[in-house]
Amino acid sequence: MDGSIPEPDLAAIFLDEGEAFQVGERLVQEELALSLSAIARSGASVFYQGRIAHAIVQVET
C-alpha cells in the first residue's frame, strides 16, 4: 500500500504527511472529538440542526 487516498479531505485525516500510519502510531481526530463533546453536552439537535449539521452541508455542497 502506497498510502494514497484520492480524496484530499480524507487524506488529511487518515494519512500522516502523505503516508499511512504505522502500527502503533496514534491517529488523533480533534474535530471528531469536538463534535462528540458537543453532542454529549447539547444533545442530538446539535448534530441534526446545529453547527455540526451546517458543517456537513458545507462539505457536501
Side-chain angles (χ1 to χ4, degrees), residues 35-58:
S35 295
L36 294 175
S37 293
I39 293 167
R41 241 185 351 268
S42 302
S45 64
V46 75
F47 180 82
Y48 291 107
Q49 301 163 336
R51 70 170 182 81
I52 298 170
H54 294 283
I56 292 170
V57 170
Q58 290 294 323

Side-chain angles (χ1 to χ4, degrees), residues 14-49:
F14 294 109
L15 296 179
D16 183 24
E17 297 181 10
E19 298 296 322
F21 283 87
Q22 299 300 308
V23 173
E25 289 185 313
R26 182 176 291 179
L27 168 63
V28 177
Q29 296 183 51
E30 292 179 11
E31 289 185 31
L32 176 58
L34 291 172
S35 295
L36 294 175
S37 293
I39 293 167
R41 241 185 351 268
S42 302
S45 64
V46 75
F47 180 82
Y48 291 107
Q49 301 163 336

